Amino acid sequence: MYRTDRCGDLRAGDEGRVVTLCGWVQRIRELGGMVFIDLRDRYGITQLVFSRDIDNELCDRAVELGREFVISVSGRVTLRSNRNSQMPTGDVEIVVSDLEILNRSETPPFTVEDDTDGGDDLRMRYRYLDLRRPSVMQKIMLRHKMAREVRNYMDSNDFIEVETPVLYKSTPEGARDYVVPSRIHKGEFYALPQSPQTLKQLLMVAGFDRYYQIVRCFRDEDLRADRQPEFTQIDCELSFVTRDEIFTVFEGLARHLFTTILGREIERPFRRMPYSEAVSRYGTDKPDLRFGMPITEITDLVKGIGFQVFDNAGYTGAIVAPLCGNYSRKQIDELTGWVRRPQIGASGLIYIKSGSDGSVKSPVGKYFNDESLLHIAAEAGATGDDLTLIVSGDRDSALRALGELRLEMGRRLGLRDSDSFAPLWVVDFPLLEWDGDDGRYYAMHHPFTTPLEEDRHLLSDNPGKVRANAYDLVINGVEIGGGSLRIYDQDLQRELFSALGYSREQAEREFGFLMNAFRYGAPPHGGIAFGFDRWTALMGGGESIRDFIAFPKNNSARDVMIDSPSPLSDDQLAELSLRLRD
Amino acid sequence: MYRTDRCGDLRAGDEGRVVTLCGWVQRIRELGGMVFIDLRDRYGITQLVFSRDIDNELCDRAVELGREFVISVSGRVTLRSNRNSQMPTGDVEIVVSDLEILNRSETPPFTVEDDTDGGDDLRMRYRYLDLRRPSVMQKIMLRHKMAREVRNYMDSNDFIEVETPVLYKSTPEGARDYVVPSRIHKGEFYALPQSPQTLKQLLMVAGFDRYYQIVRCFRDEDLRADRQPEFTQIDCELSFVTRDEIFTVFEGLARHLFTTILGREIERPFRRMPYSEAVSRYGTDKPDLRFGMPITEITDLVKGIGFQVFDNAGYTGAIVAPLCGNYSRKQIDELTGWVRRPQIGASGLIYIKSGSDGSVKSPVGKYFNDESLLHIAAEAGATGDDLTLIVSGDRDSALRALGELRLEMGRRLGLRDSDSFAPLWVVDFPLLEWDGDDGRYYAMHHPFTTPLEEDRHLLSDNPGKVRANAYDLVINGVEIGGGSLRIYDQDLQRELFSALGYSREQAEREFGFLMNAFRYGAPPHGGIAFGFDRWTALMGGGESIRDFIAFPKNNSARDVMIDSPSPLSDDQLAELSLRLRD
């Protein structure tokens, strides 16, 4: 037996016990004839004491230990004279009588402490040392706890976890697949699943009724910050349910997670907002509702006065930054620069400062008299000391810029508290979106999503106006998950394919195997998939999903620790009947 | 809301309630002015009744329903006059007042009942219909329950589930990898993990202390029956543990599973048997200990009497089939044919029949007198009416043939009861095995396995004799899992690599990234991995792991339902910088 207890276990009540602990040397301090060592394992840190009065030779050996040495010590649990209330084990220390070095360590390339001197790249290369840092290990343990509580909830709600294949098949109309050459079937390939969408629908056809899976998914996308080529989904599907029943089930999941992980109550039912309102009031389909500051359209209010910018714009909108009426010229200039950055893309920013005395100030004062300015600001929702910020342009870009500006002002004003949570269902997404380049509609969610019953009559004549039974769960401006009610009726499916410009043969070829299954009694069904990495990051108060993945890849999809991907030998390629192109 | 209750829910206590159920039409029977329908969902079957006296038109519609139609019905719960005690819902039926067809079904290609007329290939092609058969769905639900209980046990024993990458790197010395071309890093490939072996050891280096994962693994092996290209492992690793502590933890897991899944107690601690004994007494490294019938070596006993077969053989051994002394000539001939099959490979079979009167009969009677035969049979363990079966040959093949013969006799004599469980730790496996073709040793488990301390001195001079801290868990002759204590000491690692004939540079190149990690304080650690598909099949009393996988591949690694693998377009290949070889 290596140890009797672990480094996070001992308390004042253990006084007098002779124990054996194992762990890593975190720190060594010599202090007047005594040597103190912080011994660390996953469970905590315990202070070890060596005294020259008791055993000089043992003290010498203790001093010679290095950081991150793995040791085993035996000794008696003793109460500390100066207790440390910051540590759960802070009441005790071990007066060591035996010391064994289990393994040595070279000096680590960075300090293995929360406050480390290691840069991102170095820490990723030595991820196994990075993971030793308590704050990093905590994130992986939080992830485990999340998975456990997801399963507890789903299991107790009659969901069955079913494992679906990883060696799967290319799916049409999705993102780019990762593929796996078959050695046996020369020239043929498996594809890694972007999601088990089709398979979970087949499980509904099979009568599984309630399915879930915490499942790895793969997308070979062009790289953006905080995207991983492989990511984990909580994938769910239910039969014989309405949209509201789906909402109830997954509000229950969210409630369960917030309670068990964070010890917090969240209010139910969650707020719901149509997609159209989200876009027109928050400039995004995933509004952060921890704060207000909605967008007000003022196009008609400001048009026709002679100010070219407003007159020429298809859309003008405003948000009100509360109590920012005293912004300096420099602050406004900086904000103007901010909205002009290519990522935001506004051509400029116009403001109205409202004074507490009822006065107004604006650079467009020569076009608008005070009364007009007061009226505009009031329409936007401003009162004394507020700052009204106005952006013009074509509707989509102006709304997007205003949405970004709103988030930025929320951040600057401290309104986006990472400890506060505002969940929201965004509903009634458009069924289709027009692709100008291809000159055709694409399914916004996927081609098996049902239209709202009241919009179905528009499918043939005005498909762009049709709203879908599709929904996203958004928390604090982060899209946590999305789903829809699926089509299970063959007539409706044909109608939708025709709206998408598919011939019958094409639909057969690309979606045949699911449509085949639907010929044998498909139940009404719907579902949702949550981004597990993202939800975990949200619960952990983290910005980057990468921190919550034990062995993440970097922004060029490379694992720098194991050095992957890497070349194959020509023999391996030959066995797969492949050759590299020049 | 689609339904108030589910098809497995209603009991006598629900009498009088008006309910709505949804499900699939399993059977329709007309009987004197009444129509009876069995309505099925995942939760059970409920009988529906339509009466011509009450609603003739509704009866007409009921009769026109087809098998596997999806319907919704409302009606009153009524007690059945002839209760069916075979079904949980057998006390009640629904007198239907409303019927809605939610979806039609074409006639399924085979009957969706436990006793189906569908052949294997057809059922796999329509796996979503096959899964509707209650016995098949039960197996997938058993798998879910197994996973849940594995997690319950591991979680409550402080194990942390950590997800490791699927886009991983080729590992040396393993089976063949499935690979994934990188689009961004041209000419480079990821590999799908054969197991997270290296990563779990890194997690120990990182201090995770106790790790597990229910994880998909991949091996591109040449195909054998009941192998799947992707399979699921319960992968586990622990730090600061002895072998006995590992055994205790996982005997606890087995006990937990047997109790919660099958409601059965199994005895602990499990029996342990050295590899050498398993081979010499049972002719295999995974003995089925549900019955006795061990092998007895009788080489010296039968040598030198003048019978060529015995005289020329390096080894002669025997098993005793109890109470088979009355086997006919025909039965013995058939058995002889059986052991001569190429899969078994014995050159022949010699027997001694022991009569209840102390007589003996044997075809080698002209070489051995009765006294000798009696002595041989007694040495092998025979008493009156028993049949002693003798095989000669070189030691390895003769033992293997005797082991197979033992299993076959056990089967024929009904000694391999699928409802009885005999767990066994096979221990002290050889560390290395000699490969005659390559003229070198290979690690039997993997090159990070520790030798037994008492055998370490043999490493340089007699490496083939070194036993390892490697173990398998065997239940009923099935290898459920295997593991080892790992090397964490760099000196020992160098010794082992040298025994394997590795140069220092070669070891660096092939195992560098794990050896690097070991420079920074690796703890003593060890672990085990269980075949989750196989363990589930064992618990479900099934022979084939395929039955316990929702969407399995066939014996040529093809999914016939989704038709995968399949060709890629030339555009896709070009994007991956690949070309097919002719």
Side-chain angles (χ1 to χ4, degrees), chain B residues 565-580:
Chain B
S566 56
L568 288 192
S569 71
D570 200 59
D571 284 355
Q572 276 175 293
L573 283 171
E575 212 174 22
L576 297 169
S577 313
L578 292 177
R579 198 187 298 282
L580 299 182

Side-chain angles (χ1 to χ4, degrees), chain A residues 182-435:
Chain A
S182 164
R183 180 176 53 87
I184 301 169
H185 305 284
K186 304 220 174 290
E188 299 193 318
F189 294 75
Y190 305 95
L192 305 184
Q194 296 181 30
S195 95
Q197 178 65 36
T198 316
L199 291 168
K200 72 177 173 175
Q201 293 194 243
L202 289 180
L203 287 172
M204 294 304 105
V205 175
F208 272 80
D209 204 85
R210 292 187 158 204
Y211 144 89
Y212 83 104
Q213 190 181 188
I214 300 184
V215 60
R216 203 71 56 81
C217 300
F218 307 85
R219 271 176 215 175
D220 185 8
E221 288 177 301
D222 285 319
L223 297 154
R224 281 198 259 162
D226 216 27
R227 285 267 177 132
Q228 289 282 320
E230 52 182 308
F231 55 95
T232 302
Q233 252 180 221
I234 312 170
D235 193 47
C236 311
E237 196 80 7
L238 304 80
S239 290
F240 304 117
V241 284
T242 61
R243 193 194 66 174
D244 283 3
E245 285 170 311
I246 293 177
F247 284 5
T248 303
V249 167
F250 294 102
E251 288 180 8
L253 171 63
R255 186 196 150 276
H256 178 78
L257 294 178
F258 276 99
T259 311
T260 54
I261 306 289
L262 299 181
R264 298 184 52 134
E265 287 301 323
I266 48 169
E267 218 174 296
R268 287 188 297 165
F270 294 169
R271 194 169 156 184
R272 298 178 193 181
M273 186 183 289
Y275 169 86
S276 58
E277 180 183 339
V279 169
S280 64
R281 294 292 276 169
Y282 300 94
T284 174
D285 59 0
K286 38 179 192 282
D288 183 349
L289 294 191
R290 283 175 294 181
F291 64 106
M293 227 190 277
I295 300 165
T296 305
E297 176 167 4
I298 53 168
T299 314
D300 294 341
L301 215 56
V302 298
K303 244 196 166 112
I305 314 290
F307 180 50
Q308 291 277 339
V309 172
F310 291 160
D311 287 354
N312 295 340
Y315 174 95
T316 302
I319 61 171
V320 174
L323 303 179
C324 295
N326 59 351
Y327 260 36
S328 67
R329 177 64 187 257
K330 200 178 147 198
Q331 282 175 299
I332 301 252
D333 284 351
E334 191 272 330
L335 263 189
T336 308
W338 191 89
V339 299
R340 279 182 166 154
R341 300 187 319 158
Q343 302 95 306
I344 311 301
S347 55
L349 185 65
I350 287 155
Y351 64 87
I352 304 172
K353 289 180 181 176
S354 304
S356 54
D357 53 0
S359 66
V360 281
K361 258 194 223 165
S362 173
V364 294
K366 59 174 165 176
Y367 299 100
F368 296 87
N369 59 26
D370 281 7
E371 197 186 345
S372 300
L373 291 173
L374 275 170
H375 181 57
I376 294 166
E379 281 294 303
T383 54
D385 293 331
D386 288 349
L387 176 67
T388 303
L389 297 166
I390 300 170
V391 171
S392 285
D394 71 89
R395 189 172 190 272
D396 287 357
S397 346
L399 276 171
R400 190 156 34 75
L402 281 163
E404 293 289 345
L405 180 61
R406 173 181 173 270
L407 289 177
E408 177 64 15
M409 289 310 297
R411 192 185 64 73
R412 293 186 183 192
L413 298 173
L415 303 172
R416 302 176 69 187
D417 175 12
S418 76
D419 200 36
S420 134
F421 297 96
L424 168 74
W425 292 109
V426 178
V427 301
D428 301 345
F429 275 80
L431 182 67
L432 306 170
E433 54 189 348
W434 181 254
D435 185 314

